[in-house]
Amino acid sequence: MGRPPCCDKVGVKKGPWTPEEDIILVSYIQEHGPGNWKAIPTNSGLSRCSKSCRLRWTNYLRPGIKRGSFTEQEENLIIHLQALLGNRWAAITSYLPERTDNDIKNHWNTHMKKKLRRIENEGGMIAGSGFSKNQSIAKGQWEKRLQTDINMAKQALQEALSMEKPSFLYESKPSSSSHSSSTPPSSTTYASSTENISRLLENWMRKAPKNSDKSTQHSVKNFVNIGADSTSSDGTITSVANNHIVSPEISQFQVDSKPCLDERFSLSLIETWLFDENYWGGNGSNIVLDFSFDDASHELF
DNA sequence: AAAGGTTACAACCGCCTAAGG
DNA sequence: CCCTTAGGCGGTTGTAACCTT
């Protein structure tokens, strides 16, 4: 007996989500909170499988998602983390909470791989691996990587237990140049969808005074704000969440749908290393190439 | 202006893991 | 323990938008 499909394939809609479907999903989650994905299609009336709903929410509709082009600092961080963690996008995403793993993965595959390949051709190193050619197939590399990960986890745990709470790493440095990218963020279909959803949600709010529950309305309003912010005239995303003035509800969403926030609290050593400009050799183009695990692990642990 | 090629990204697929019975 | 299943993750694909000729 094979594994049954996650959802009944018959009658399950596939393909791009419509704004109407988004509204239904968001409305349902506003009311019931994220989670119990299995129940969402049935209870909300969506003809989508639970997986599709979860993905749509986490990658697209969840409040606090930053869209648009990546800043140089974000890219540097991704390169560095990819060298350290490999293609573990979920782990990498925990350092860039405003980005989704899908977003980072896509950006890596479409932009950064190419960029690094170009650098590799110029510099004769293996891009993205964090190792020079003669190191790349070094015996014991995986063991070393694993050990580093274990050490990282231990360190994080220790710091978490000691209640050390460094400020959010994304609050300080990355945001400082968040609009420094020379290329304007691309306007995608998301923008118009979001505007539609925002409008619909506003109408929905007006029509739905049944919610004596203020918090629900409040959170919907926040969602609307975020939607509007995310499509501001200059195309940049400066959401409420970016400034961390998020409603408890939204915080809850983020906590619920993202990896443990405490992970981020407890990585001051790592973040120092990750954001240390010196590591990046000034222009960020050589960093990975000069980076090796020996250096990093020695410094970190 | 049209055709063909390229890029970007939303969404799907299938595997893995952990929780619950 | 074993089995089932929901949720999570990374790889891959499909396609709309954009660019070049």
Side-chain angles (χ1 to χ4, degrees), chain A residues 129 219 265 300:
Chain A
S129 67
S219 59
F265 282 125
L300 285 167

Side-chain angles (χ1 to χ4, degrees), chain A residues 17 25 37 49-59:
Chain A
W17 281 64
L25 180 59
W37 299 107
C49 82
S50 55
K51 229 174 188 180
S52 185
C53 293
R54 183 176 57 80
L55 236 51
R56 183 64 180 171
W57 173 257
T58 55
N59 288 338

Side-chain angles (χ1 to χ4, degrees), chain A residues 78-125:
Chain A
I78 292 166
I79 291 167
H80 220 154
L81 287 165
Q82 206 277 343
L84 178 67
L85 302 170
N87 292 356
R88 288 153 62 185
W89 306 114
I92 292 172
T93 306
S94 65
Y95 292 85
L96 292 143
E98 294 169 336
R99 300 288 189 180
T100 69
D101 55 352
N102 210 29
D103 224 10
I104 292 173
K105 185 171 59 181
N106 281 333
H107 189 69
W108 176 264
N109 287 331
T110 57
H111 294 90
M112 297 171 72
K113 254 184 179 175
K114 226 172 290 173
K115 199 169 167 181
L116 289 168
R117 203 173 297 133
R118 207 178 54 232
I119 293 166
E120 174 197 340
N121 288 338
E122 285 164 13
M125 306 281 279

